[in-house]
Amino acid sequence: MTLSRLACLLLAAAPLALSAPARAQAQGQPQGQASPAPGRTLRVAPHADLRTLDPVFASIVITRMHGLMIYETLFAWDSKLRPHPQMVESFSTSEDGLTWSFRLREGLRFHDGQPVTARDVIASLKRWMGRDTVGGKLAEYTAALEASDDRGFSLKLKRPTGMVPFALGSAVGQIPAIMRESDAATDPMKPVTDTIGSGPFRFNRAEWRSGARVVYDRNADYRPRAEPADGLAGGRVVKLDRVEWVIMPDPATAAAALQTGEIDIWEQPGQDLIPVIGRSREVRVERYSSLPNQAMLRPNHLYPPFNDPRARLALAYATDQADFLAAGFGDERWWKRCGSYFVCGGPNGTEAGAAGYAKPDLDTARRLLAESGYKGETLVLTSSYDIAHIGRMAEVAGEALRKIGMNVDVQFADWGTVTTRQANRGPVDQGGWNLFVTTASGATMQSPITNIGTNMACARAWAGWPCDEEAERLRNAVAEARDEAGRMAATEALHRRLAEMQPYRVLGQYDQPYARRANISGVLEAPVMVFWNIEKR
């Protein structure tokens, strides 16, 4: 699309952004209702609508962003992904490394006024361990979780691992959010619908309008840590009265709204619109993460043909990363090819074993597909244009796989429906799926411990449910390595196994900037965008 065409789209969308009565109606705001002063209200266009409220149930980014607004974790990662105490006041480790003892900060309270206790922590951690990749790995080492008093608890291990603070501060996948015991003790296979956390914001359920807006109010009772903010760590000082997520699925409308000041931040602007919005003196385009994100094509390992590793390897030989990345992210300055499951340029960015399919080989792909026993059955690729780059890459996937003889049906729906369907373990005729395209943050994918897609722990794995005992043995070796050399050797061995087993097809990596008005400052470098520390002048 040409810049002149984009400019026309923005002009056409501008009246939508400027119409206050239409905006109030779209957002479900009652006529005449007073709002907080504009200078103390931050309006953000997020990348997707919020449908699932439980950040321990769902691993999708918008739910994680929501979770970090209203919940806290025991530890938190700084901008370099190093863990620091957050809800924890102090901790210690026994000489044999098998017992970790923790004490909560004094004065922690849930939004309903109840104190946060060790019982809440234990129930929350047990639920998280049953849902998340990182939590599941920590569960393998855990012998017991025990409370010593209202603020003290211990984690007893079967064998030593140094990943405990890193895991308890995880900001990827399903986060270890500390909930009330009554919420956390519910069925982990069903999402919690109450939204009572202890974090710096409160969820304003009364003003939540699905498809239009999500509202958060400052938690006046919250006590931040005394340290400076750094990533998700340190003092979560809220400098706003209110944050509103204004749902704007149309990129041209969001771009116009940012330029006119209708919104203050556009969390994930489309790369094709960045040259246009970047020309405005009132707009700044920046990055909030130093690691690039990863794109992937995820197969369902439960059903043919992708229960056979040859069919999954066919995906790698059939696809050219550049085709996907150009369709999804436009200008090549925003993306690069990369064969690493653990992000090129990151601390674990090996490409061991991936050289063979760095370039497409359709004949090899067809041979592998035939050897897997595929007979032309319809394969459902579920996707959404709510996140435009994902929808565009899904179209590319359909075209590429048809060239090797796959009968692919690309089915589009809203993103909430797509993510709900991803959790369905049934066959296609019972609402299941065969493939989807998605993206994940570099913070999530850069480590064998946190990478949700390379967890091959069968039923405990992420959607797609890959299962490989050898890959899991090698992942354990990474977690238990005693030094850097041992960790890197174990990571390379793991990567070679993954290149054979193909839990998903890596589609490359890309940078996702955000855009803000010039009067907004204090956006932190973090795995996802957070809204404490931000000021609006």
Side-chain angles (χ1 to χ4, degrees), residues 165 207 239-240 362 366 402 446 492:
E207 296 195 47
K239 301 177 181 181
L240 305 157
L362 300 189
R366 293 185 187 104
R402 292 183 191 111
Q446 58 85 32
E492 288 217 3

Side-chain angles (χ1 to χ4, degrees), residues 10 254-267 269 273-286 513-520:
L10 292 181
L258 181 70
Q259 291 181 297
T260 60
E262 178 88 5
I263 58 173
D264 304 299
I265 293 176
W266 188 6
E267 185 224 347
L273 286 170
I274 287 173
V276 176
I277 61 176
R279 289 204 299 260
S280 171
R281 290 182 296 178
E282 298 302 318
V283 173
R284 305 288 184 269
V285 179
E286 300 169 340
Y514 76 98
R516 62 173 174 86
R517 298 282 296 175
N519 64 329
I520 303 299

Side-chain angles (χ1 to χ4, degrees), residues 304-376:
F306 301 118
N307 59 341
D308 189 311
R310 290 169 293 188
R312 302 194 298 268
L313 191 57
L315 298 179
Y317 281 103
T319 49
D320 188 335
Q321 290 184 342
D323 292 341
F324 288 85
L325 296 169
F329 308 104
D331 193 327
E332 193 170 353
R333 71 190 177 106
W334 295 110
W335 56 264
K336 67 176 289 186
R337 297 172 185 264
C338 171
S340 177
Y341 283 101
F342 305 129
V343 183
C344 296
N348 304 294
T350 176
E351 295 182 87
Y357 50 80
K359 294 182 179 179
D361 183 339
L362 300 189
D363 288 338
T364 298
R366 293 185 187 104
R367 175 180 58 80
L368 289 166
L369 188 60
E371 291 174 358
S372 75
Y374 177 66
K375 303 297 184 183

Side-chain angles (χ1 to χ4, degrees), residues 437-455:
V437 173
T438 193
T439 59
S441 70
T444 299
M445 310 311 275
Q446 58 85 32
S447 166
I449 304 302
T450 60
N451 185 306
I452 57 175
T454 57
N455 173 3

